[in-house]
Amino acid sequence: MSLDSLTLQQLIARTARGDHACFAQVYARTQAHLFGVALRMLGREQAAEDVLQEAFVSIWKSAGSYRSEVNGQPVQPMTWLIAVVRNKALDALRQRTRRAESELPGDDALDDATGASAPSALDLLGEATRALHIEACLGALDGSHRQSLALAYYQGLSHSEVAQQMGAPLGSVKAWIRRGLDKLKACLAARGVAA
Amino acid sequence: MKYTSARLVEHLASTYALGTLAGGARRRFERLLQERADLRLAVAEWESRLGLLGQAAPPHAAPPRVWAAVDARTRPLAAASAPARPAPLGWLKPASFSLGGVAAGLLAASVLFVLVPGLFITADRAAMLTGQRLPQSYVGLLTDAQGDGKLLVSSLRHGTAMTVKVIGPITPPAQGRLVLWAVPAQGPAFVLGPVPLTGSATSQLPGTSEQLLSKVQKLVVTAETDTAPTAPGAVVFSGNCAKLW
């Protein structure tokens, strides 16, 4: 059976058994998307490259930890891979002092790396919710709630960083994000697309 | 805090997966994750939900150097067997070595290597290189219940890598994966590594074959659903572990 005919799930399963050719195929199929996730969060190509590298070394070592089902709900391999990359990106973000980092190359570092036409975090959240058909459900949230959730998710910002960027009180941001997560869970459950 | 409240667990799992749980709270939660299956499950559920949002991020091709770096870090055996990089010559400068001297040294070493190989390599290796002997290895031929050959297992006596080669068609287990075990004459069986369904696979052993296999008489393959099985289940293939020297 050629590698091209294998699903991503099968490739990850074979990677877990030490099949390096399948691991290479996992990389080839997903790198552009995962690099996009890392770049979106970190804002700089070099940092995103480092994170992607660390993420794939981790995937090679821990492919056996991928579970295709959690509590009876299927877990798409891509969502697992994205979680690995996001966790590495969050580690990288925590390791650097964001303020110091942003002062060195200028506040437009994100635009430099991702292109001036890159969609905003809120645009991405809108696109994701449309693709998942939960737009109407999530639309019940106030704009501030969606904005804070989008900044935390797509840019890896902390509560205080979201508060600073939005010019809003920290307590309000925490409540907005909490409500956004609750609503997201309810919307996905109603659509039957996630646990 | 014992983190027994379902609401608290849900809150921590969601903020951990989102990334907004930070500082000491995040570190404490990560320590708890090692111990608590319920927390790991809650995090997995949230990572699954949030991962759906990540699919909207625009793709951006990573430069080829990223894969080159990943490949180099995940191919320990290939890296180990690759020719050693030439050592930088800078360290020679303080000793005022000339390149001519280095070349002469290499030439002399080459002549000695041909004339007196025992100065450079063991007698066993010399015999192997000259085709008089196979390298000292541990080997095993595993068959199914009908006696049909299925797997060839081999590992150099003083090496730490083991190769498992499929030599007959293997039906994938209905559940789980195939695992190779060593069964010592005395003491519990222990896992040697995964078994491929086709082709061959090489895995790193925790010690040299001599350390691990000198008292092992039998090798077996079982189908395991547990990611870290502690005792072999029903045997699928079996064979003797032999010393090739």
Side-chain angles (χ1 to χ4, degrees):
Chain A
M1 187 182 290
S2 80
L3 296 185
D4 290 341
S5 62
L6 295 176
T7 64
L8 192 52
Q9 194 166 318
Q10 289 170 321
L11 289 169
I12 291 174
R14 292 189 181 199
T15 298
R17 296 197 292 267
D19 189 327
H20 202 270
C22 286
F23 175 57
Q25 185 74 2
V26 171
Y27 181 89
R29 283 197 202 175
T30 63
Q31 56 85 15
H33 201 101
L34 296 175
F35 190 56
V37 170
L39 193 55
R40 180 77 228 177
M41 289 179 74
L42 293 154
R44 298 195 187 101
E45 296 229 7
Q46 184 57 56
E49 287 179 27
D50 292 345
V51 158
L52 191 66
Q53 183 190 144
E54 291 303 322
F56 267 94
V57 170
S58 175
I59 288 162
W60 169 248
K61 291 177 180 171
S62 65
S65 68
Y66 165 61
R67 298 285 173 270
S68 58
E69 202 175 282
V70 171
N71 264 358
Q73 292 287 336
V75 176
Q76 297 302 318
M78 200 62 193
T79 64
W80 178 71
L81 294 169
I82 287 172
V84 175
V85 170
R86 282 196 82 249
N87 282 333
K88 292 293 180 190
L90 288 168
D91 286 345
L93 285 170
R94 282 194 293 274
Q95 280 171 8
R96 75 187 192 197
T97 307
R98 289 186 64 89
R99 182 175 294 278
E101 285 280 326
S102 62
E103 281 172 359
L104 287 174
D107 286 327
D108 55 350
L110 179 65
D111 283 344
D112 286 348
T114 57
S117 61
S120 70
L122 193 56
D123 290 340
L124 291 177
L125 183 64
E127 190 179 326
T129 54
R130 273 191 297 280
L132 294 166
H133 305 293
I134 57 170
E135 190 185 18
C137 181
L138 216 61
L141 282 177
D142 185 271
S144 302
H145 295 57
R146 289 200 301 274
Q147 173 84 7
S148 55
L149 182 60
L151 287 171
Y153 182 77
Y154 290 105
Q155 290 180 213
L157 300 189
S158 66
H159 284 132
S160 55
E161 288 164 340
V162 173
Q164 191 178 5
Q165 185 147 337
M166 292 180 68
L170 179 60
S172 300
V173 164
K174 285 183 176 177
W176 293 342
I177 290 177
R178 172 78 266 140
R179 176 138 173 70
L181 288 170
D182 288 345
K183 191 69 180 170
L184 175 70
K185 179 181 177 182
C187 291
L188 290 172
R191 290 287 307 168
V193 291
Chain B
M1 194 181 289
K2 292 184 177 176
Y3 302 99
T4 50
S5 155
R7 188 170 172 77
L8 178 61
V9 166
E10 180 73 359
H11 171 69
L12 291 172
S14 63
T15 51
Y16 174 79
L18 181 65
T20 49
L21 186 67
R26 190 174 187 88
R27 287 191 292 275
R28 279 194 299 280
F29 189 73
E30 284 175 336
R31 280 198 297 274
L32 274 175
L33 275 177
Q34 307 296 320
E35 305 161 9
R36 296 263 302 267
D38 60 328
L39 298 186
R40 290 197 295 273
L41 185 63
V43 168
E45 287 180 342
W46 270 106
E47 285 181 340
S48 176
R49 291 184 191 106
L50 293 170
L52 294 167
L53 300 182
Q55 301 193 26
H60 196 291
R65 60 178 170 267
V66 178
W67 170 250
V70 172
D71 191 38
R73 291 176 64 186
T74 55
R75 275 185 188 267
L77 292 168
S81 61
R85 286 184 180 183
L89 296 177
W91 64 274
L92 289 172
K93 288 178 183 171
S96 301
F97 277 99
S98 69
L99 282 175
V102 173
L106 285 173
L107 180 64
S110 303
V111 171
L112 277 172
F113 180 82
V114 171
L115 296 177
V116 197
L119 284 177
F120 296 85
I121 54 177
T122 64
D124 180 66
R125 183 149 178 77
M128 187 189 78
L129 289 173
T130 54
Q132 298 168 10
R133 192 187 302 170
L134 286 168
Q136 294 186 358
S137 310
Y138 284 91
V139 295
L141 174 64
L142 280 75
T143 65
D144 61 12
Q146 287 72 44
D148 293 330
K150 294 294 180 181
L151 295 168
L152 188 62
V153 181
S154 60
S155 177
L156 290 174
R157 182 182 180 184
H158 300 292
T160 58
M162 177 190 66
T163 300
V164 180
K165 183 179 181 184
V166 176
I167 57 173
I170 291 179
T171 306
Q175 284 187 318
R177 64 202 174 103
L178 296 179
V179 174
L180 177 65
W181 298 79
V183 186
Q186 292 180 329
F190 56 91
V191 172
L192 282 176
V195 174
L197 297 176
T198 57
S200 66
T202 304
S203 44
Q204 200 71 23
L205 297 171
T208 67
S209 301
E210 181 74 356
Q211 292 164 340
L212 295 170
L213 301 175
S214 62
K215 292 182 171 54
V216 169
Q217 295 181 334
K218 197 172 180 185
L219 301 175
V220 298
V221 168
T222 61
E224 304 289 349
T225 51
D226 194 327
T227 51
T230 53
V235 172
V236 183
F237 310 132
S238 65
N240 290 331
C241 180
K243 296 174 180 177
L244 196 65
W245 69 87

